[in-house]
Amino acid sequence: MLDKTPPPELLFEGPEWTFELLEKARDAIEKIALNDLGLDVYPNQIEIISAEQMLDAYSCIGLPLMYQHWSFGKHFARDEALYRTGRQGLAYEIVINSNPCISYNMEENTMAMQTLVMAHAAFGHNHFFKNNYLFQQWTDADGIHDYLAFAKNYIAACEERHGLDAVEEILDAAHALQSQGVFRYGRPPKPTAAEVAAMAKVREGYESGQSVLDIWTDATLGDRRGDHVENGPYGQRRKDMNMPQENVLYFLEKHSPILEGWQREILRIVRNLAQYFYPQKQTKVMNEGCATFVHYYIVNELYEQGLITQGALMEIMHSHTNVVLQPEFDDPRYSGINPYALGFAMMQDICRICENPTDEDREWFPEFAGNSDWRKVLRDAWANYRDESFIQQFLSPHLIRKFKLFALSDVEEQPNLVVSQIHNRAGYKAIRRDLAHQYDLAYQEPDIQVADADLKGDRELKLIHTVRDGIHLSEDDREEVLIHLRRLWGYDVRLDAVEVQSNL
């Protein structure tokens, strides 16, 4: 008996897009994302912007609603010049970790590319933002847009009241220190009622006979100030001021002897935005790998269901192939391991290990090798790991061979590099460990902490840089940052280095 079921209607034909076609494609993508892959996403808000607006968003660290600063204009001028001369392309989309999740698609995209980026951003990135533990613990998807609007309006009001130069000086210093303006290991102390009231007074333009420094010092130290900081021992002072303190901007915001209230609020804005981006710095491989795997799976399903043409699939796969390209070490385009390539390859490899494991896979991954529910394995990985732990847990010998990875030992006392690990059992473990180590921000970013500051004494700010494996700070960068530190502190700043040896 002949099947008289009519063939499915194509989602679109040709390159031109309309909002009706976008909605139709989004609904089809959503059905696969939710019902097949089992994704859990924030409500989506998809906006279409021009290439110039995309460049503008680029320059403002990917946040279209951002305060003004000269560095953003510098980035815009550079990126625009490169784009107009054909030396740099643009992202097809930008997605914001928020609720609702906002995706900005470029109007120059064809309908096939709009389909790709909706699957990639509106569902892949969206699911990762909502479910990964780092984003759940450290970001506020519900409140980020309101906070960005507050930050933009607050800084604009400060510029009008105090002058562009005064605001720019504080922003320059805060931006120079923003990588040292995050909490890496624990949340900040919860603000007291006095602190909340002090911050509210500052934001509302509060003025009274009491100095702003008194407001903030009373709020942060309370009645303990005279008992311990002035007369108490060194250990008690450190305890009262939460030292050692890893978040340098937080310490300056709370304890700088010279900053006015509006300047402290600007420091708070910069460090809050730095904290917002901190999970993204730790999950580049996983986040892009998740989104790339999701769009690859969904687009192929759309084709298998007869909803897109072979031409549309080929256009999408051409773009996909460029995104996951891993240039060889001697290729002029080589700039390290492509996070899209590594992330996507690891997601596909997990599926392979679940569906068609080898004996080697069963030995290395007994927990999920042969588990037919690869969707659940992937969702669990996306939710509970960051790049460093994900690579340490899931990078397989098969993929190490595919990427031709090996380990080099660079010992200062030896004149040449040494190939220390190759493709054998011990080598696989060492290569996986060393590669994971490269994605651990605890080792990749300088460990600088506030060690002491006697507000009733010489007021010198003392910082300690924990040096690992003999890697010191760049002398020029160190001096430039110290200039900004002294501007925010108002007194002498000393940065000492303490060497420790890495266990690796």
Side-chain angles (χ1 to χ4, degrees), residues 248-309:
V248 178
L249 279 182
Y250 176 80
F251 185 88
L252 292 169
E253 173 199 332
K254 298 299 181 185
H255 301 294
S256 171
I258 66 162
L259 294 182
E260 298 180 31
W262 66 270
Q263 295 170 319
R264 298 176 195 274
E265 187 63 34
I266 288 178
L267 294 193
R268 179 180 173 85
I269 287 170
V270 172
R271 71 172 179 83
N272 280 341
L273 292 179
Q275 194 75 60
Y276 168 82
F277 282 108
Y278 192 62
Q280 298 191 33
K281 294 170 67 175
Q282 299 180 80
T283 56
K284 182 68 173 178
V285 171
M286 289 195 68
N287 200 346
E288 297 300 350
C290 169
T292 304
F293 177 88
V294 166
H295 85 230
Y296 182 82
Y297 182 86
I298 289 176
V299 166
N300 277 282
E301 279 297 305
L302 291 175
Y303 177 71
E304 290 296 325
Q305 295 175 19
L307 297 176
I308 61 175
T309 65

Side-chain angles (χ1 to χ4, degrees), residues 323-341:
V323 165
V324 299
L325 172 68
Q326 176 57 61
E328 298 288 342
F329 77 96
D330 56 353
D331 191 306
R333 297 168 294 178
Y334 179 80
S335 59
I337 295 178
N338 178 359
Y340 291 83

Side-chain angles (χ1 to χ4, degrees), residues 177-182 184 246-249 445-448:
L177 296 165
Q178 62 186 346
S179 63
Q180 303 300 321
V182 298
R184 295 174 174 83
E246 63 170 343
N247 192 326
V248 178
L249 279 182
E445 294 188 341
D447 181 4
I448 299 174

Side-chain angles (χ1 to χ4, degrees), residues 352 357-365 396-398 401 428:
R352 179 192 63 80
T358 64
D359 291 340
E360 180 184 59
D361 295 326
R362 293 185 185 278
E363 179 184 357
W364 282 77
F365 306 103
S396 69
H398 168 80
R401 293 191 294 269
Y428 291 135

